[in-house]
């Protein structure tokens, strides 16, 4: 069959809803990439539809209305093959046809009952293999579950990290693992093809080879990703999506203009409507980082930000969130290695300096969430400063060496799979919080000081 | 007739004149003629309710298309909870193509096109008409058509391509001759 025939058949099959997923993708590519194909497609679709309309309306065109094909037999075939395609009008149809329609409707009703019975059984598709912090899972039918634990089997649904220290890992039957951390919102399903929608936040995955024609799909507000088998992490904000690929390849499609790029290992791409979508090598890591609140806040930041006014500099005020046990934590959190910023890696001699203000002297927790280079969660490490070190209504400056940070006790259950300390790992976020009482915590500057920085200072 | 009623009549007439174009658009998104008809019908009801929102002087076709698109998405949602990635991509590409290239035809063109089609269709052999009708009216697959009238799938495919080409070139030649 020549090219013209192939095109004709592709459009014909599309107009009859007969394209496979691969064919759909192929046609979408053709239309996206070729203006002449778009024009031809519209012309053909219009011609074809007018032709169908004329044949349907003008039975006089046929003379003999059957045209050599038994009408009732064809109707029966259609009723069996396409049960959802009910005719819009029964005017002029025979009694046999009505019976067929009733039979079709009965089949559909039975199928619907069976479907909902099956849905009610909630087919489990994945198992929780790690979690910490405040999380909410919303299952099919809007069922809300807050008491998730390792080993819980889940059907499709939405998992939401409620706090900066939230972390959740899910393993599918084929051993593909996905993870979210911080205040991320992820919807997932697996009906033979894994599909995710990352509304916001940080997502990473270790994807086993997927079935041919059924790649893992991840949608964000700004991009659509297609994954066959790889390691990658994604940071999705309101206006952009950043993808870093550690192994394999991921195909990214920007939603506003459908531009597509394939991102290989060691590369990253930022998909945002207002910037060039080009591949770049994952930037070399750096060791130092400063909050620079006067410039605003970046993805992954949690707190109430206010710009500098008069003598007061810009600041991030702690905001409350309620833990699953009903207690309140007041937290201010900074996204560090987020978006298209270079990864910030902890040097053994790095220190963390926090400047801020407390309305009432209070014990303060300073911590960081870290990840491995491939995006895998590597734990949360924290240090505690007693209330005695602070004065009410006074500014403070705290300096901490990395050796003072220990694993967050809530991760004890998975201690064996986490590193002993944060050195050498990528800092995803740094957070400060007070527990249970509103101590009026305000952070004015957070500085991760690398040895070279401290030598300069 | 007050201004509002006059505007309603103008908008409705203009929208109905675009019906064939809207049907082609809806069918390109739904892959089913009957479902497309339903979506266009629903869209026309919206046009009746919302005619006063339409800004005269702008494209009625583009306005109606945006209404049809919403009805198409509703129809898709009724039969499948979530569209696949490929389907979303294709829907967006189809939408962009129609936005770029679809124009409405005037009524005179439609009438002469129908007359030409009537003439050309009479020239198609009886079995060919059966194949076309099975595909376009009964929406049967190549395999179902083949089983019904004793042809291989490949023969059905070739016949459909040849018959459509024959009718289309006959109509176009006929229209050129009358111009």
């Amino acid at each position: 069959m020549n090219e013209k025939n192939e095109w004709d058949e592709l459009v014909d099959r599309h107009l009859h809803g007969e394209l496979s997923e691969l064919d759909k993708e192929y046609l979408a590519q053709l239309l996206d990439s070729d203006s002449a194909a778009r024009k031809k497609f519209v012309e053909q679709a219009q011609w074809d539809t007018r032709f169908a309309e004329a044949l349907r309306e003008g039975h006089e065109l046929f003379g003999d209305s059957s045209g050599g094909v038994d009408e009732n037999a064809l109707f029966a075939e259609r009723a069996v093959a396409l049960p959802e395609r009910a005719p819009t009008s029964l005017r002029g149809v025979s009694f046999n046809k009505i019976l067929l329609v009733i039979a079709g409707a009965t089949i559909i009703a039975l199928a619907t009952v069976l479907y909902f019975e099956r849905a009610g059984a909630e087919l489990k598709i994945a198992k929780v293999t790690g979690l910490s912090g405040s999380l909410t899972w919303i299952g099919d039918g809007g069922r809300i579950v807050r008491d998730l634990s390792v080993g819980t089997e889940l059907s499709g649904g939405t998992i939401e990290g409620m706090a900066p220290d939230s972390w959740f890992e899910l393993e599918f039957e084929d051993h593909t693992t996905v993870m979210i951390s911080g205040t991320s919102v992820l919807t997932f399903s697996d009906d033979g093809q894994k599909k995710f929608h990352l509304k916001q936040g940080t997502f990473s995955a270790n994807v086993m080879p997927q079935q041919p024609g059924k790649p893992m799909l991840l949608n964000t507000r700004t991009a659509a990703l297609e994954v066959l088998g790889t390691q990658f992490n994604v940071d999705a904000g309101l206006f952009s999506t950043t993808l870093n690929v550690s192994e394999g390849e991921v195909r990214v499609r920007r939603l506003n203009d459908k531009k597509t790029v394939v991102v290989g290992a060691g590369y990253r791409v930022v998909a945002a409507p207002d910037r060039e979508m080009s591949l770049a090598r994952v930037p070399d890591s750096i060791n130092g980082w400063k909050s620079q609140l006067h410039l605003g806040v970046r993805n992954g930041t949690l707190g109430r930000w206010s710009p500098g006014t008069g003598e007061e500099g810009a600041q991030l005020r702690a905001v409350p969130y309620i833990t699953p046990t009903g207690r309140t934590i007041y937290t201010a959190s900074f996204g560090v290695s987020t978006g298209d910023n270079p990864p910030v890696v902890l040097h053994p001699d790095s220190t963390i300096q926090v400047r801020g203000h407390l309305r009432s002297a209070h014990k303060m927790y300073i911590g960081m969430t870290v990840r491995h280079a491939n995006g895998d969660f590597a734990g949360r490490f924290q240090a505690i400063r007693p209330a005695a070190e602070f004065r009410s209504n006074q500014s403070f400056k705290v300096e901490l060496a990395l050796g003072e940070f220990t694993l967050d006790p809530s991760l004890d259950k998975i201690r064996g799979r986490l590193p002993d300390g944060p050195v050498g790992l990528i800092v995803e976020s740094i957070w400060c919080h007070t527990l249970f009482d509103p101590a009026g915590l305000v952070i004015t500057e957070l500085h991760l000081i690398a040895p070279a920085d401290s030598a300069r200072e | 007739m007050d201004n509002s009623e006059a505007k309603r009549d103008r908008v409705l007439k203009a929208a109905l004149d675009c019906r064939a174009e809207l049907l082609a658009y809806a069918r390109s998104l739904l892959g089913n003629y009957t479902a497309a008809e339903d979506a266009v019908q629903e869209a026309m009801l919206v046009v009746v309710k919302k005619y006063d929102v339409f800004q005269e002087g702008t494209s009625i076709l583009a306005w109606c298309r945006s209404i049809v698109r919403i009805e198409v998405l509703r129809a898709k949602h009724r039969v499948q909870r979530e569209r696949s990635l490929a389907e979303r991509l294709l829907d967006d590409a189809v939408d962009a193509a129609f936005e770029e290239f679809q124009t409405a035809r005037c009524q005179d063109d439609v009438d002469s096109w129908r007359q030409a089609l009537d003439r050309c269709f009479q020239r198609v052999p009886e079995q060919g008409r059966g194949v076309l009708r099975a595909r376009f009216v009964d929406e049967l697959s190549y395999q179902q058509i083949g089983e019904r009238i004793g042809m291989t799938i490949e023969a059905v495919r070739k016949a459909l391509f040849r018959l459509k080409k024959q009718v289309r070139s006959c109509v176009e030649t006929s229209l050129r001759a009358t111009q």
Side-chain angles (χ1 to χ4, degrees), chain B residues 1-48:
Chain B
M1 187 183 281
D2 64 22
N3 282 344
S4 172
E5 281 180 349
K7 180 180 179 182
R8 188 192 61 200
D9 289 354
R10 283 195 303 276
V11 173
L12 285 182
K13 184 180 180 310
L16 286 170
D17 284 348
C18 296
R19 192 183 166 281
E21 283 75 14
L22 296 174
L23 193 57
Y25 171 67
R27 185 170 172 234
S28 300
L29 290 169
L30 285 163
N32 180 281
Y33 187 94
T34 309
E37 264 190 329
D38 288 345
V40 172
Q41 193 171 321
E42 292 296 326
M44 286 300 166
L45 292 175
V46 176
V47 171
V48 171

Side-chain angles (χ1 to χ4, degrees), chain A residues 14 21 38 46 85 88, chain B residues 28 32 38 84 100 102 138:
Chain A
H14 169 65
E21 292 295 294
R38 287 197 292 279
Q46 296 203 138
R85 294 178 185 179
T88 50
Chain B
S28 300
N32 180 281
D38 288 345
S84 66
E100 194 176 3
Q102 192 179 35
D138 299 308

Side-chain angles (χ1 to χ4, degrees), chain B residues 67-131:
Chain B
I67 297 171
V68 170
R69 180 161 173 82
I70 292 167
E71 295 306 326
V72 163
L73 289 175
R74 280 198 183 132
K76 287 195 177 204
H77 190 70
R78 278 196 291 272
V79 290
Q80 59 186 111
R81 272 182 179 277
E82 203 170 334
R83 288 177 296 156
S84 66
L85 181 68
E87 198 170 344
R88 280 164 197 262
L89 299 177
L90 185 52
D91 284 353
D92 289 345
V94 166
D95 198 39
F98 273 80
E99 199 174 318
E100 194 176 3
F101 290 110
Q102 192 179 35
T103 50
R105 291 191 313 172
C106 74
Q107 193 55 41
D108 290 347
D109 289 345
V110 176
D111 291 342
S112 45
W113 186 87
R114 286 295 284 265
Q115 286 161 13
L117 180 65
D118 196 6
R119 284 193 300 275
C120 293
F121 202 80
Q122 299 304 328
R123 297 183 196 170
V124 176
E126 193 173 295
Q127 194 189 38
R129 290 188 214 174
V131 170

Side-chain angles (χ1 to χ4, degrees), chain A residues 23-299:
Chain A
D23 288 337
K24 284 178 189 172
E25 207 179 312
Y26 174 63
L27 181 57
Q29 271 176 1
L30 278 178
L31 295 177
D32 280 342
S33 59
D34 186 353
S35 170
R38 287 197 292 279
K39 188 165 188 259
K40 211 160 78 172
F41 175 84
V42 173
E43 283 172 2
Q44 191 165 334
Q46 296 203 138
W47 206 95
D48 215 275
T49 306
R50 280 189 210 116
F51 185 53
E53 190 181 26
L55 293 195
R56 281 160 179 266
E57 288 176 0
H59 283 225
E60 71 276 13
L61 284 176
F62 290 98
D64 166 10
S65 67
S66 70
V69 180
D70 182 82
E71 194 181 357
N72 278 345
L74 287 172
F75 188 92
E77 276 173 346
R78 186 157 59 125
V80 171
L82 305 163
E84 75 282 12
R85 294 178 185 179
T88 50
S89 164
L90 290 177
R91 188 179 52 187
V93 299
S94 69
F95 181 67
N96 281 348
K97 286 179 182 175
I98 293 171
L99 283 180
L100 277 168
V101 169
I102 292 168
T106 309
I107 290 167
I108 291 168
L110 283 171
T112 307
V113 169
L114 283 172
Y115 171 80
F116 281 108
E117 274 183 359
R118 195 179 154 202
E122 281 198 345
L123 188 65
K124 307 299 182 194
I125 58 170
K127 191 166 68 177
V128 179
T129 47
L131 81 170
S132 72
S134 184
L135 292 154
T136 299
W137 178 72
I138 304 162
D140 288 343
R143 190 160 59 90
I144 295 175
V145 178
R146 290 180 192 273
D147 57 345
L148 293 169
S149 57
V150 171
T152 303
E153 292 189 326
L154 299 177
S155 58
T158 298
I159 185 80
E160 188 169 346
M162 309 297 283
D165 64 350
S166 302
W167 169 70
F168 175 84
E169 189 184 67
L170 197 61
E171 185 177 312
F172 289 80
E173 280 180 357
D174 66 352
H175 302 298
T176 289
T177 55
V178 302
M179 186 274 291
I180 60 163
S181 62
T183 52
S184 303
V185 182
L186 177 75
T187 302
F188 57 92
S189 68
D190 187 355
D191 56 356
Q193 183 171 30
K194 293 177 188 62
K195 295 169 192 160
F196 301 87
H197 184 91
L198 181 65
K199 190 175 171 190
Q200 65 172 56
T202 304
F203 171 96
S204 67
N206 190 350
V207 185
M208 294 297 118
Q210 300 296 290
Q211 286 178 38
K214 293 192 172 176
M216 179 177 125
L217 307 175
L218 171 67
N219 282 294
T220 69
R221 290 174 195 265
T222 52
L225 282 66
E226 196 175 293
V227 187
L228 284 168
T230 187
Q231 282 189 340
F232 67 97
N233 73 291
V234 174
D235 192 25
L238 266 180
F239 310 112
S240 68
T241 298
T242 305
L243 165 73
N244 290 290
V245 179
S246 318
E247 275 180 35
E249 286 184 341
V250 178
R251 199 153 72 114
V252 185
R253 190 175 189 86
R254 187 162 60 183
L255 296 181
N256 65 310
D257 61 358
K258 293 111 191 165
K259 184 174 179 186
T260 302
V261 293
V262 175
V263 186
Y267 281 82
R268 68 159 45 177
V269 72
V270 180
D274 57 349
R275 57 186 288 178
E276 179 63 25
M277 186 172 156
S278 52
L279 284 179
R281 281 207 73 84
V282 173
D284 291 338
S285 60
I286 55 174
N287 298 121
W289 178 84
K290 209 171 191 173
S291 55
Q292 297 185 294
L293 279 169
H294 60 286
L295 300 176
V297 291
R298 56 173 70 179
N299 282 352

